[in-house]
Every structure is written in structure tokens, then in C-alpha cells.
Amino acid sequence: MRVLLVEDDETIAEPLADGLGRYGFTVTRCATGAEALSTPPGDFVLLDLGLPDMDGIDVCRGLRQVSPVPIIMLTARGGEADRIVGLELGADDYLGKPFSLRELVARMRAVTRRTAAPAQASTAVPVRAQAPAPVPAPPGPLVAGPLTVDRRTRHVHMAGEVVALTPKEFDLLALLMQDPGAVFPRRLLLEAVWEADFFGSTKTLDVHVAALRRKLGDSAWIETVRGVGFRLVAPGG
């Protein structure tokens, strides 16, 4: 796999590139955002947010305009806003510094599996003589008050208006909508939406919940059950 590593700190970039090489990755290094945007992204992008010439958020936006390549943001920033903006612009995951090489590789593999599966399904050529039995369509739309989630079309509407969600935001919301009012433990949500091999900080879940609350227009839609997880509650319901 060809990896574009966008990192200006030589003390991080050099050992990271060497470590990824031991896992079989071919690494191309860039130290600036301008260089990253003019370099073929390869199969995967590791993007530092603190670059010397431009914000990594802007680099992520530029990459997304030309390529669906998987992107993991590498950041020392602790602000929730940066993580939310990056994920909404199309980054597939984020990892806070410092991090272990093993955790990074595990996340890269998980992201690759998630992003590769839909592409493989869409490009597969059906063989009529060997076609499997049709897969039943998912049940009808899930409805909670003015909120409707259609798992077949992956469309979300709030009071008739379209709500634009990222793939993981949709999966998270659809899971909570399966049983409004029920408490979903954090680990269950992580394993269901990010796969069973999720590693590291559970802040990824908090970032996506925060984004969902904002996009749904009322933070009361998703209630935090301290020490346990989250549940969906229709405001006023």
C-alpha cells in the first residue's frame, strides 16, 4: 500500500516512515500542505494538522475535492472543533499525538476495510449462472418524531428537510434509532460502527455524537448516560 505521510516534524516523520516500511507500506513524505496537494495521494493519507504553510484542515478539504483516498488526521490539538471539522470534511479517522505505531497501523487497516468494501461491491460484475440468492432489503424507514432514517437509501430527514451526514454519522444514528430510549453502551457503539478491532481513545465516538447533535439541530436528541453510553430521545417526546 502506498502511503502519503504529511508531517513537517522530522523527529516524527522519519521514524514513522521507517516503522510503516517494516509493516510493508511504501511511504512518500511531505513536509508542507502545498507539497501534499501537488503529490499523488497514493492509497492512504496520514495528515498532520499543524503544518508550517497551511492548516491541515485546508489540506484535507483540498484532497477531498480530488480524491476519495482514506485519510487519518494526526494531531496534537485537543480541541473538539478541529476534530469535528476534519471529520465533516471527509477524514476517516483521527489519532492524537503521541500514538503508538501499532495503534496507527490497526486504524489504517480498519479504515481500509471499511472504505474498500463498498467499492468492491459497486464494481463487482454479477455472474448470472452463479448469482447468490437475493439479499432481503432492510426494514422500512426508522421514525422518531420528526426524524426519519432510511437505511435502504441512507437518507436522513428532519421535519422533511434533508440532513447531510457522513457515513459513520449515519451508521451511528441508525443504530441509536433502532431502539429509541434504550441506552447503548459506548463499547457496543464503537464495535458496531467502527468494527470490533477498534483501538485507542473512545473520543472518536464523542466527536461523532457532537456532530450528530449539531446536525439534528438540538442536542437533546442524543442523551449522554454518564458512565454507560448514549441513547436517542426525541425532544419533547
Side-chain angles (χ1 to χ4, degrees):
M1 179 186 292
R2 298 164 301 161
V3 177
L4 178 62
L5 172 60
V6 188
E7 170 62 70
D8 67 305
D9 188 336
E10 189 70 17
T11 63
I12 295 177
E14 184 174 356
L16 182 54
D18 291 343
L20 290 170
R22 292 195 298 273
Y23 277 88
F25 298 103
T26 301
V27 181
T28 299
R29 291 165 50 188
C30 294
T32 66
E35 186 181 0
L37 292 175
S38 63
T39 302
D43 304 307
F44 209 106
V45 175
L46 300 176
L47 174 62
D48 179 30
L49 293 189
L51 297 172
D53 60 334
M54 59 194 301
D55 196 298
I57 293 294
D58 295 323
V59 178
C60 181
R61 181 186 292 109
L63 289 171
R64 269 294 165 262
Q65 291 175 350
V66 299
S67 174
V69 63
I71 299 173
I72 290 182
M73 301 184 301
L74 307 178
T75 175
R77 301 178 187 175
E80 180 181 78
D82 287 318
R83 298 193 297 269
I84 291 175
V85 170
L87 291 168
E88 289 185 347
L89 286 174
D92 296 275
D93 202 353
Y94 80 94
L95 189 58
K97 297 177 182 179
F99 54 84
S100 71
L101 180 62
R102 290 180 60 188
E103 178 180 357
L104 174 60
V105 171
R107 286 177 180 254
M108 292 172 65
R109 289 172 174 168
V111 167
T112 299
R113 286 195 298 272
R114 292 198 303 271
T115 55
Q120 291 170 355
S122 63
T123 58
V125 178
V127 180
R128 187 177 299 275
Q130 300 178 0
V135 177
L142 303 170
V143 179
L147 178 62
T148 301
V149 174
D150 191 326
R151 288 170 291 179
R152 183 179 65 84
T153 62
R154 295 183 70 84
H155 289 166
V156 176
H157 292 84
M158 175 66 75
E161 297 293 325
V162 174
V163 180
L165 301 180
T166 66
K168 290 188 287 295
E169 288 169 359
F170 179 89
D171 292 340
L172 177 58
L173 179 61
L175 184 58
L176 293 171
M177 282 281 286
Q178 288 181 14
D179 193 359
V183 179
F184 287 77
R186 299 177 66 91
R187 178 51 56 179
L188 185 152
L189 292 171
L190 286 166
E191 292 180 354
V193 178
W194 282 268
E195 299 189 0
D197 59 356
F198 179 86
F199 290 89
S201 172
T202 63
K203 288 184 179 179
T204 293
L205 176 58
D206 297 282
V207 169
H208 282 75
V209 167
L212 276 175
R213 285 169 170 161
R214 185 176 60 79
K215 290 184 178 183
L216 294 178
D218 190 336
S219 62
W221 271 104
I222 302 178
E223 179 181 295
T224 300
V225 180
R226 188 175 299 277
V228 182
F230 301 94
R231 63 181 171 191
L232 186 132
V233 181

